[in-house]
Amino acid sequence: MYCLIGDGESAEGSVWEALHFASQYRLDNLVAIFDINRLGQSEATSLQHDMDTYQRRLTAFGFVVFSDVRIAFFHFE
């Protein structure tokens, strides 16, 4: 399953709750693609282009993050 997540909507708690759910239930068929363009609906997002913070948050939930293309997915061994 592929999920395209904008940085504006990733400022909402529901996105991180869903990622926590995926981590808790080890959903290893999930690919989260973050579109980080710094733009929310009416103003710049709080994290703007702070890619390291996105990466740390996703890693904390058990995602493997590819920093070259910034695509994260679960891989359980």
Side-chain angles (χ1 to χ4, degrees):
M1 177 186 324
Y2 296 91
C3 298
L4 180 58
I5 303 168
D7 51 353
E9 70 183 332
S10 73
E12 301 296 327
S14 58
V15 168
W16 300 102
E17 289 174 14
L19 293 172
H20 176 261
F21 178 90
S23 175
Q24 182 176 355
Y25 290 98
R26 301 176 64 88
L27 303 181
D28 61 358
N29 63 340
L30 177 63
V31 177
I33 303 168
F34 279 74
D35 173 28
I36 308 299
N37 62 10
R38 191 192 66 81
L39 301 174
Q41 282 187 336
S42 58
E43 58 188 29
T45 59
S46 60
L47 294 178
Q48 299 197 15
H49 287 121
D50 185 1
M51 302 299 286
D52 292 332
T53 297
Y54 286 103
Q55 185 170 349
R56 283 193 305 271
R57 288 180 180 183
L58 290 164
T59 302
F61 282 111
F63 278 88
V64 175
V65 178
F66 292 95
S67 58
D68 293 344
V69 291
R70 305 296 181 165
I71 295 176
F73 73 97
F74 276 113
H75 174 72
F76 294 107
E77 296 180 18

